[in-house]
Amino acid sequence: MQIRSLGLKIGFSIALFLGFVAVTELSAASVTADDFKAILDHDSAHLLKQLKDGSPDKKGIIQSKATAMLIAMYAQKQMDGKDKTRDQQLATLRDNAVKVAEAVSSKKYKDAVEAAKLLSLKTAANPSAKTEAIDLSKLAKFEMFELMSPLKKTSGGGLNLESDLKEMADKLKDASKVPGLAARILTIAEYTENMPTDTGSGKKSVANWKKYAKMMKDAADEVYEGSKAAKPDLKKLQTSLGKLNASCTECHNVFKN
């Protein structure tokens, strides 16, 4: 009886531990539906602007493809299996975003414009769209220099993410723009984890690449979660933004040199 009791206690303890691990792994902040819609509306408009009615310049080609792939990931990450109808719509949005990127890769810019016009939650769901997650990093011949292009300044066609991050990390008076920044960088970090460089040796190893990508992702998640508090603590949030900025700098110090 004592052995059985001990076994039950151990089993119960293990179950509690595994439950704790599962909760910990799932505790990462999820982008709210409202933030997702705001980002989608802004970035889809930015995408169409970069495509210039089917005659994009060199910067526009890079930026439109990157923005489309970010939108695809935003949509996929919103699918949670709780609402089949919504997931179907999100899967359709994701697939249309990939079509934009693939059309840009094939230099079919007019086709890209038509697909970009469908990047809205008002677009009817495609009943054949698959709601399972797919590895987006393997599609549309998506490359690292394209992924990082939204970090560039607005004047260069980017989303100004790097400049905004540095500014917020240095001085933060208002948290209203932080969720959008964090959500976008979080998405870039998720792609980065799956798009390692091919150097594979020394400090520039794939293991280090993934380590820095995870640092960026964790820091972006911390920023987003802090920004969604009922009353964000601006001092703590600024510290988290500094940590996120530092994660980018540390990675650049290794992989851009």
Side-chain angles (χ1 to χ4, degrees):
M1 290 295 290
Q2 287 181 337
I3 293 174
R4 182 174 182 273
S5 177
L6 178 60
L8 287 172
K9 286 179 180 179
I10 292 173
F12 181 68
S13 297
I14 291 172
L16 280 176
F17 173 74
L18 291 175
F20 173 76
V21 170
V23 170
T24 302
E25 290 178 346
L26 295 173
S27 64
S30 297
V31 175
T32 67
D34 287 343
D35 285 341
F36 164 66
K37 185 179 184 306
I39 292 170
L40 172 62
D41 290 346
H42 178 279
D43 290 10
S44 58
H46 174 78
L47 168 57
L48 279 167
K49 182 179 179 181
Q50 295 303 314
L51 283 170
K52 295 182 179 179
D53 294 323
S55 301
D57 56 20
K58 186 175 181 180
K59 291 179 181 178
I61 291 170
I62 295 170
Q63 292 292 343
S64 59
K65 183 178 177 182
T67 305
M69 292 304 287
L70 290 182
I71 289 173
M73 182 69 86
Y74 302 149
Q76 178 159 283
K77 297 296 288 186
Q78 284 287 302
M79 291 187 279
D80 57 13
K82 296 178 181 178
D83 184 334
K84 185 177 179 179
T85 301
R86 184 170 185 270
D87 282 358
Q88 199 82 59
Q89 186 180 39
L90 291 166
T92 301
L93 175 60
R94 175 200 62 197
D95 295 348
N96 285 333
V98 172
K99 286 178 183 177
V100 174
E102 289 178 338
V104 171
S105 286
S106 301
K107 300 182 180 180
K108 297 178 180 179
Y109 304 124
K110 293 290 185 182
D111 290 348
V113 171
E114 293 308 306
K117 290 177 181 177
L118 301 176
L119 300 183
S120 166
L121 291 175
K122 295 179 181 178
T123 300
N126 178 354
S128 63
K130 296 181 179 179
T131 56
E132 294 83 4
I134 56 179
D135 186 353
L136 294 167
S137 66
K138 299 280 196 301
L139 304 180
K141 299 178 181 178
F142 197 28
E143 296 187 51
M144 183 54 59
F145 77 93
E146 294 167 325
L147 172 62
M148 294 298 168
S149 65
L151 293 164
K152 293 183 178 180
K153 293 183 178 181
T154 307
S155 58
L159 293 171
N160 215 59
L161 300 180
E162 186 173 20
S163 294
D164 286 346
L165 173 58
K166 289 179 179 178
E167 184 179 331
M168 291 179 189
D170 183 57
K171 192 173 185 179
L172 184 65
K173 291 184 177 180
D174 177 18
S176 62
K177 294 183 179 180
V178 176
L181 173 79
R184 289 178 174 93
I185 294 178
L186 178 60
T187 300
I188 289 173
E190 288 172 342
Y191 269 117
T192 301
E193 275 193 312
N194 294 314
M195 296 170 70
T197 62
D198 58 1
T199 51
S201 60
K203 289 183 178 180
K204 296 185 178 182
S205 66
V206 172
N208 271 348
W209 178 269
K210 288 183 175 292
K211 180 187 77 173
Y212 286 121
K214 187 177 186 304
M215 283 172 58
M216 179 167 65
K217 186 169 74 171
D218 290 347
D221 186 78
E222 181 181 307
V223 170
Y224 184 79
E225 191 168 8
S227 73
K228 299 309 293 182
K231 188 176 180 181
D233 185 323
L234 295 184
K235 189 174 181 179
K236 286 184 178 180
L237 194 52
Q238 187 175 335
T239 299
S240 295
L241 285 159
K243 187 189 299 185
L244 175 56
N245 187 47
S247 74
C248 297
T249 302
E250 286 185 45
C251 184
H252 292 168
N253 287 342
V254 173
F255 286 95
K256 291 187 77 172
N257 292 332

